[in-house]
Amino acid sequence: MGILVKEGLTVEKLAKVDEMVFDKTGTLTYGKPKVVDVIPYDEKMGAPELIHLTASLESPSEHPLARAVVNYYRENYSEPLEKVSNFEMVIGKGVKAILDKDQSILLAGNIEFMELNGLSVDEEFISSKVSSYLDEGATAIYVASNSEVLGVVMLADVLREDANEVVRQLRKLNVNATLLTGDNQKAAEYIAREVDIVNYKYNCLPEDKISTVSEFQNSNHQVAVLGDGINDAPALKQANVGISMGGVGSDVSIEASDVCLVSDDIKYIPHLIALSRKTLKTINISIAFALGLNFLAMFLAMLGLLGPIGGALVHNIGSVIVIIYCSMLMRFKS
């Protein structure tokens, strides 16, 4: 099924999980966002120039949104990207760099990143040009240069076809689902509504995800976190079980996780949890059976009803029974 479990102990931890925390991009969605619109802030700059500057700024980044912007530019325009220096990434907010051509300071990120750098975006611009996309779960990347807002690039990701079914099956296993995303409120609300997740948080930084996982753990919940990006790595490490995406996921998140979905297919997560519970139950039954058989053999030996050869035979028969019983897990279907 394309699932790599790194340690046997992880199976025992998975069996006790009662809270599943999802990241949005790359997990509940395919992690392949596409540019759906490029909107200049005013008439000073056209859409081609805006996407050119944005792609130049985002080119050093490995974030899925940044790669989507660069890919969109290269698919639609032929002019080489400008070189940037002093590239800086502010986790969960945006990126910043100096454009080598004219030494201007370029910024790209969410609305909070703009405000953090002393920039304000006109409310009328947001309501008339941006809000309709946000209502449909799109993500806005605002772009600025030298303390002047230039425009916004809108990106949308596609929800995984089986995301809703995964959440439903987890609920049947008495596992609650929570969505933690660095995206804006409306994007989070849209995805949560589509997959029927009640508990969600938006504009989450890595430390916010860690604190939320810790809160669950302090309330005696066993938490599994499913993530794919560098931002998710701390939460994956904090969780009782960290689950990463093997294809779209970053190397850091894969290294920090206990389970890797090599095929990037989340539909098998409920099966993995159900199988872990069945495995733990099988282990406990096997131990109880083995101990019971050994105590019975000892009692019969004390009464003189079981000799050394018979004892050896009973011991090996018990081992064979346990192995056959455990091998039935290979045919387990959730």
Side-chain angles (χ1 to χ4, degrees), residues 41-45 50 53 104-108 114 117-121 142-151:
Y41 194 65
D42 51 37
E43 297 179 356
K44 294 180 181 179
M45 176 176 290
L50 176 59
L53 283 176
S104 59
I105 300 175
L106 293 178
L107 304 170
M114 295 294 112
N117 286 274
L119 297 169
S120 61
V121 183
Y142 294 92
V143 185
S145 174
N146 287 339
S147 301
E148 181 182 0
V149 177
L150 302 178

Side-chain angles (χ1 to χ4, degrees), residues 311-328:
L313 184 62
V314 169
H315 174 75
N316 284 288
I317 288 175
S319 297
V320 170
I321 291 173
V322 167
I323 291 171
I324 293 174
Y325 178 60
C326 290
S327 68
M328 293 173 65

Side-chain angles (χ1 to χ4, degrees), residues 90-93 180 201 203-215 230-235 238:
V90 181
I91 301 290
K93 292 188 180 296
L180 301 181
K201 292 185 179 181
N203 293 334
C204 290
L205 299 174
E207 52 266 34
D208 298 323
K209 295 181 180 181
I210 292 176
S211 63
T212 301
V213 172
S214 297
E215 287 173 10
I230 294 175
N231 296 359
D232 303 317
Q238 174 66 33

Side-chain angles (χ1 to χ4, degrees), residues 59-325:
S59 58
S61 175
E62 294 185 1
H63 192 280
L65 295 178
R67 283 182 285 183
V69 171
V70 175
N71 290 338
Y72 173 83
Y73 179 80
R74 288 175 174 165
E75 289 170 1
N76 293 277
Y77 301 94
S78 58
E79 186 179 347
L81 294 175
E82 300 290 345
K83 293 184 178 180
V84 296
S85 56
N86 295 343
F87 180 82
E88 178 185 350
M89 176 184 291
V90 181
I91 301 290
K93 292 188 180 296
V95 294
K96 181 179 181 180
I98 295 176
L99 186 65
D100 288 355
K101 181 175 68 173
D102 58 10
Q103 295 300 298
S104 59
I105 300 175
L106 293 178
L107 304 170
N110 56 29
I111 194 94
E112 290 78 14
F113 188 59
M114 295 294 112
E115 293 172 352
L116 187 66
N117 286 274
L119 297 169
S120 61
V121 183
D122 184 59
E123 288 292 337
E124 185 178 346
F125 173 77
I126 295 175
S127 61
S128 62
K129 300 290 183 67
V130 182
S131 290
S132 59
Y133 288 106
L134 298 179
D135 291 340
E136 296 177 358
T139 299
I141 296 180
Y142 294 92
V143 185
S145 174
N146 287 339
S147 301
E148 181 182 0
V149 177
L150 302 178
V152 61
V153 178
M154 303 303 306
L155 299 101
D157 201 354
V158 179
L159 187 69
R160 291 181 183 270
E161 296 176 358
D162 41 23
N164 187 279
E165 179 64 17
V166 167
V167 173
R168 189 186 67 81
Q169 290 186 22
L170 287 173
R171 192 174 289 120
K172 287 177 63 177
L173 293 169
N174 294 319
V175 177
N176 295 320
T178 298
L179 171 64
L180 301 181
T181 177
D183 287 348
N184 60 73
Q185 180 179 353
K186 292 196 174 181
E189 288 176 348
Y190 175 80
I191 294 297
R193 184 170 60 252
E194 289 295 306
V195 299
D196 195 23
I197 290 180
V198 177
N199 189 24
Y200 61 91
K201 292 185 179 181
Y202 48 89
N203 293 334
C204 290
L205 299 174
E207 52 266 34
D208 298 323
K209 295 181 180 181
I210 292 176
S211 63
T212 301
V213 172
S214 297
E215 287 173 10
F216 284 132
Q217 292 172 329
N218 293 335
S219 300
N220 295 321
H221 289 287
Q222 299 294 309
V223 185
V225 173
L226 175 63
D228 72 311
I230 294 175
N231 296 359
D232 303 317
L236 290 170
K237 207 67 179 175
Q238 174 66 33
N240 299 93
V241 179
I243 306 174
S244 64
M245 309 295 282
V248 299
S250 67
D251 292 342
V252 175
S253 66
I254 293 172
E255 181 66 28
S257 64
D258 305 293
V259 178
C260 181
L261 304 181
V262 179
S263 60
D264 283 343
D265 200 339
I266 67 172
K267 71 180 180 182
Y268 294 119
I269 289 178
H271 173 79
L272 177 62
I273 293 177
L275 178 60
S276 298
R277 292 178 179 179
K278 179 66 175 177
T279 300
L280 193 60
K281 183 179 179 180
T282 300
I283 290 171
N284 291 332
I285 291 174
S286 298
I287 291 173
F289 170 77
L291 288 174
L293 185 64
N294 285 334
F295 279 121
L296 177 61
M298 289 170 59
F299 180 72
L300 293 175
M302 290 170 62
L303 296 177
L305 300 176
L306 188 65
I309 295 178
L313 184 62
V314 169
H315 174 75
N316 284 288
I317 288 175
S319 297
V320 170
I321 291 173
V322 167
I323 291 171
I324 293 174
Y325 178 60

